[in-house]
Amino acid sequence: MTALARMPALAAALLAGLLASPAHAQTAADGQKLAFDRSKGNCLTCHVIRGGDLPGSIGPELKDIKAKYPDRNELVAIVSDEPKRNPQSVMPPFGRNRILTEQEINAIVDFLQTL
């Protein structure tokens, strides 16, 4: 097998390693900090989240997220611009309004997928 033919398998192995790595865990930890930060993600203003203080009751409790949203892209879209998906939503468009960066949104999604 040539080196070129082994590239897809190598790429898949590297990706699997990254997703299981401490760096991925760190991203989820960073996402939790952002989600709980009242000046940034501010998720606790509206949502009950395990481990969060003084949660709100406007939005749904955030639990079993990976089961509810197995497609990570759907969850990114919700955090980025839920009013685009659902015009009746009161959730801020964190990405569109530049409240959160793409990197911050991805970190929050990493955290949400641990719930």
Side-chain angles (χ1 to χ4, degrees):
M1 182 182 283
T2 68
L4 187 58
R6 289 189 300 252
M7 292 302 283
L10 178 61
L14 287 172
L15 180 59
L18 285 173
L19 293 177
S21 74
H24 182 70
Q26 183 61 40
T27 305
D30 292 341
Q32 180 179 14
K33 289 177 192 171
L34 286 164
F36 289 0
D37 184 336
R38 298 283 180 178
S39 67
K40 232 7 191 168
N42 204 17
C43 300
L44 289 168
T45 294
C46 298
H47 300 280
V48 172
I49 304 173
R50 181 184 67 239
D53 294 332
L54 305 171
S57 59
I58 295 169
E61 181 175 355
L62 299 181
K63 64 180 184 179
D64 303 322
I65 298 298
K66 200 162 191 172
K68 290 176 187 171
Y69 301 100
D71 180 355
R72 177 185 170 74
N73 293 327
E74 185 177 2
L75 196 52
V76 168
I78 289 169
V79 177
S80 295
D81 194 355
E82 179 58 6
K84 180 179 181 183
R85 294 166 31 91
N86 174 8
Q88 301 302 313
S89 178
V90 296
M91 185 164 163
F94 289 100
R96 178 171 41 110
N97 285 356
R98 298 185 195 148
I99 299 166
L100 297 169
T101 66
E102 185 177 335
Q103 182 179 3
E104 290 169 331
I105 290 169
N106 279 299
I108 289 173
V109 167
D110 285 344
F111 163 63
L112 293 174
Q113 289 188 315
T114 69
L115 300 176

